[in-house]
Amino acid sequence: MEEQKKRMLSMVQPSGHLTLGNYLGAIRNWTTLQDEYDCVFALADLHAITVRQKPADLRRNTYEVLAQYMAAGLDPEKSVLFIQSHVAAHAQLAWVLNCYTMFGELSRMTQFKDKSRSHADNINAGLFDYPVLMAADILLYQPNYVPVGIDQLQHIEICRDIAQRFNSAYSETFTIPEPYLGKMGGKVMSLSEPTKKMSKSDPNPNGFILLMDKPEDIMRKFKRAVTDSDMRVVCREDKPGVSNLITIYAQATGKTIEEVEAEFEGKGYGEFKPAVGEAVVEMLRPIREETERLLGDKAYLEKVYRDGAQKAERIAQRTLDKVYRKVGFVKR
């Protein structure tokens, strides 16, 4: 009898374009995890509206991120790939979990404090309640693992606390998920401020590479990347800019850090930076071209997300039915 695969779930907001950091840090590794795990991937559009969005932009970005996911190797035949708002159980379970989440727990969340500062004109209840919806997103699918960065660990902790509280009150209902930190790519830093993580929200567009950037833009950004006056291509703590470029080049070419250092020994940044740019251009070229092809076939993308929503709904509804029964709701 074949052993059942453990389940893994990951969600990303379709509120902007995917960066080189998103790809190397997570998405590229998800493609290999599809064979090891029962994977569920979703576009978290409900989360996206905690910050004001232009409706037309959100719709377009949702299609674009779905196409980029697939172009990067996420296979709708191997994984469940869907849009969060297409499965009503996310909002339904979130309300129930709200009643098992303490106000003090939510008020301590770092992301709420950070986003309240950066969006002081729109400190809404959804922003405050974000972790409960995220807990519902996770617990609906009973995953064993959730791939997260260090900055998201607090959300996994509160999700586990909510699940354990519910399980204690009503008997075993939810799988307690573990954060998945292994086999992920290294953190990619900003090209303009190498002490900060690469982010599409960086006000300086030279700080990040988008998966859909044109080759000439990628080359220009790498040539302008912040380095130092030492000129040696070595990976050291006191050389964050160069170390970041070495890490990117190593991941783009499959070489080790030591091999990269040896390749550019005695060569300056004038030779090294364009080489990094060229390696990234070639790595991203097939993704950009396949994304453009998929965006030209909207009917296929719609079929993918419809089929994905049906698969997701089957899993989610089983969990929601169990929760409704345990809290005492009358069956419809």
Side-chain angles (χ1 to χ4, degrees):
M1 186 175 162
E2 191 181 338
E3 190 180 344
Q4 191 174 2
K5 288 181 180 178
K6 292 196 169 180
R7 181 170 291 154
M8 185 173 286
L9 173 135
S10 189
M11 301 181 76
V12 70
Q13 287 190 38
S15 51
H17 306 291
L18 298 177
T19 67
L20 177 67
N22 298 135
Y23 178 65
L24 292 178
I27 299 168
R28 184 165 72 168
N29 303 285
W30 292 348
T31 61
T32 56
L33 295 174
Q34 292 177 117
D35 296 317
E36 296 175 50
Y37 297 91
D38 175 12
C39 288
V40 177
F41 298 111
L43 304 180
D45 54 345
L46 294 176
H47 284 289
I49 64 167
T50 56
V51 174
R52 290 284 175 263
Q53 303 285 336
K54 289 181 180 173
D57 289 349
L58 181 57
R59 272 190 286 273
R60 187 184 65 251
N61 288 339
T62 302
Y63 278 104
E64 286 185 0
V65 173
L66 176 62
Q68 287 176 61
Y69 261 10
M70 291 165 64
L74 294 191
D75 184 347
E77 297 300 318
K78 291 181 180 178
S79 302
V80 179
L81 197 52
F82 72 103
I83 298 169
Q84 180 190 25
S85 63
H86 291 181
V87 179
H90 289 258
Q92 291 170 292
L93 180 60
W95 175 254
V96 176
L97 297 184
N98 269 322
C99 302
Y100 297 86
T101 306
M102 302 301 113
F103 186 88
E105 288 176 306
L106 292 176
S107 60
R108 288 192 293 271
M109 297 301 287
T110 308
Q111 190 180 51
F112 174 68
K113 293 174 185 173
D114 292 346
K115 286 207 169 184
S116 296
R117 280 192 291 269
S118 56
H119 300 280
D121 59 333
N122 182 29
I123 305 173
N124 57 70
L127 201 59
F128 185 71
D129 205 35
Y130 188 106
V132 183
L133 178 56
M134 187 169 169
D137 298 334
I138 294 168
L139 298 175
L140 271 175
Y141 299 95
Q142 309 281 11
N144 305 94
Y145 300 107
V146 181
V148 286
I150 300 296
D151 54 341
Q152 287 285 325
L153 277 177
Q154 196 182 27
H155 283 131
I156 301 300
E157 285 164 14
I158 194 172
C159 171
R160 288 166 55 87
D161 290 344
I162 295 167
Q164 283 163 344
R165 188 174 295 135
F166 193 94
N167 285 356
S168 295
Y170 297 105
S171 79
E172 213 62 27
T173 308
F174 299 118
T175 299
I176 307 299
E178 297 286 342
Y180 182 91
L181 298 165
K183 291 187 186 176
M184 289 284 124
K187 188 187 286 187
V188 178
M189 312 306 282
S190 165
L191 300 183
S192 56
E193 285 186 82
T195 54
K196 292 182 178 176
K197 188 177 170 184
M198 183 179 284
S199 169
K200 63 198 169 206
S201 57
D202 189 331
N204 183 352
N206 290 316
F208 55 85
I209 302 290
L210 297 176
L211 297 193
M212 298 303 286
D213 273 348
K214 294 174 182 172
E216 57 269 28
D217 293 331
I218 293 173
M219 293 302 296
R220 177 177 48 77
K221 290 179 184 182
F222 275 109
K223 285 175 182 174
R224 291 183 180 177
V226 169
T227 46
D228 52 52
S229 56
D230 180 48
M231 298 304 288
R232 285 183 300 157
V233 181
V234 288
C235 198
R236 273 199 334 238
E237 202 173 321
D238 61 342
K239 291 167 72 72
V242 177
S243 299
N244 185 40
L245 294 181
I246 290 172
T247 302
I248 291 170
Y249 185 74
Q251 292 200 60
T253 58
K255 294 177 180 177
T256 64
I257 300 295
E258 293 73 24
E259 285 170 342
V260 176
E261 290 175 334
E263 182 182 343
F264 290 96
E265 192 174 352
K267 298 174 184 175
Y269 302 155
E271 212 169 326
F272 176 54
K273 287 183 181 181
V276 182
E278 284 165 15
V280 170
V281 164
E282 291 313 311
M283 177 178 66
L284 297 185
R285 188 188 302 280
I287 296 172
R288 190 183 74 252
E289 290 174 354
E290 177 63 4
T291 299
E292 287 169 351
R293 188 193 71 76
L294 287 166
L295 287 171
D297 190 353
K298 207 169 179 183
Y300 175 62
L301 288 177
E302 289 170 351
K303 182 182 185 306
V304 166
Y305 70 59
R306 274 198 307 270
D307 291 350
Q310 285 178 350
K311 291 178 195 171
E313 209 157 32
R314 281 196 292 272
I315 303 167
Q317 197 60 47
R318 280 200 297 271
T319 301
L320 188 68
D321 287 347
K322 190 191 296 187
V323 168
Y324 274 18
R325 187 175 68 251
K326 290 197 176 186
V327 299
F329 291 163
V330 173
K331 189 173 172 63
R332 182 175 167 182

